[in-house]
Amino acid sequence: MIQALGAGMADEEEDPTFEEENEEIRGGAEGGQGKRKRLFSKELQCMMYGFGDDQNPYTESVDILEDLVIEFITEMTHKAMSIGRQGRVQVEDIVFLIRKDPRKFARVKDSLTMNEELKRARKAFDELWILTFFVLSEVSLFSGETIFNNYIFHSNVLISSHVNEK
């Protein structure tokens, strides 16, 4: 869909009025500092492909979408900063802002739930790893030469304690 819109852009780019408008738009989004670094290009290309666009969408399409995403994030951040603790954005502020949009609210709720599940899974994995490491280190203590050394050490301790008792 965006590809079809982009096809008409080639004709418009030759029009000098379009170029002037295009530069005005770019100047506003970039603050007049030339091209800004694209932050989400790869992710947006993958998302566009997942939603049915071409595997390599037009750069202009990705750039427009990225401008919209950055504008949305900036707007939400400013709103969140104004309702919560000043100068600080918290998860609760974002949830409060989107509470009336059922789709966004459900998505954020699912993402937060998944985040908690992943934290628990990582913690369980770390605990399992520590337990496994402990068990393996205990097993290695009782293998090969270590068994013989432990036997000798414990034998000497038993003999010396028995001799000291008499």
Side-chain angles (χ1 to χ4, degrees), residues 71-84:
E71 182 181 329
F72 175 79
I73 291 171
T74 304
E75 192 175 299
M76 291 295 285
T77 304
H78 286 298
K79 286 180 183 178
M81 287 173 62
S82 68
I83 63 167

Side-chain angles (χ1 to χ4, degrees), residues 38-93:
R38 293 295 174 179
L39 303 171
F40 306 112
S41 293
K42 289 286 183 195
E43 292 84 358
L44 289 171
Q45 286 177 352
C46 291
M47 288 175 68
M48 290 168 71
Y49 180 62
F51 281 98
D53 205 332
D54 190 64
Q55 189 168 7
N56 296 309
Y58 289 126
T59 306
E60 295 85 3
S61 301
V62 177
D63 290 348
I64 289 171
L65 197 55
E66 184 164 5
D67 289 341
L68 292 171
V69 168
I70 290 174
E71 182 181 329
F72 175 79
I73 291 171
T74 304
E75 192 175 299
M76 291 295 285
T77 304
H78 286 298
K79 286 180 183 178
M81 287 173 62
S82 68
I83 63 167
R85 285 178 38 185
Q86 291 297 324
R88 191 163 187 174
V89 177
Q90 295 182 332
V91 174
E92 295 81 17
D93 301 333

Side-chain angles (χ1 to χ4, degrees), residues 61-128:
S61 301
V62 177
D63 290 348
I64 289 171
L65 197 55
E66 184 164 5
D67 289 341
L68 292 171
V69 168
I70 290 174
E71 182 181 329
F72 175 79
I73 291 171
T74 304
E75 192 175 299
M76 291 295 285
T77 304
H78 286 298
K79 286 180 183 178
M81 287 173 62
S82 68
I83 63 167
R85 285 178 38 185
Q86 291 297 324
R88 191 163 187 174
V89 177
Q90 295 182 332
V91 174
E92 295 81 17
D93 301 333
I94 302 295
V95 172
F96 178 79
L97 287 173
I98 61 162
R99 71 191 183 282
K100 293 181 182 176
D101 186 336
R103 292 179 74 190
K104 288 179 187 166
F105 185 77
R107 178 70 176 125
V108 167
K109 186 178 172 185
D110 289 345
S111 295
L112 291 172
T113 303
M114 184 61 69
N115 189 35
E116 289 301 316
E117 289 177 15
L118 286 171
K119 281 182 184 177
R120 282 194 295 273
R122 279 188 208 107
K123 185 177 178 183
F125 179 78
D126 288 344
E127 290 172 357
L128 180 64

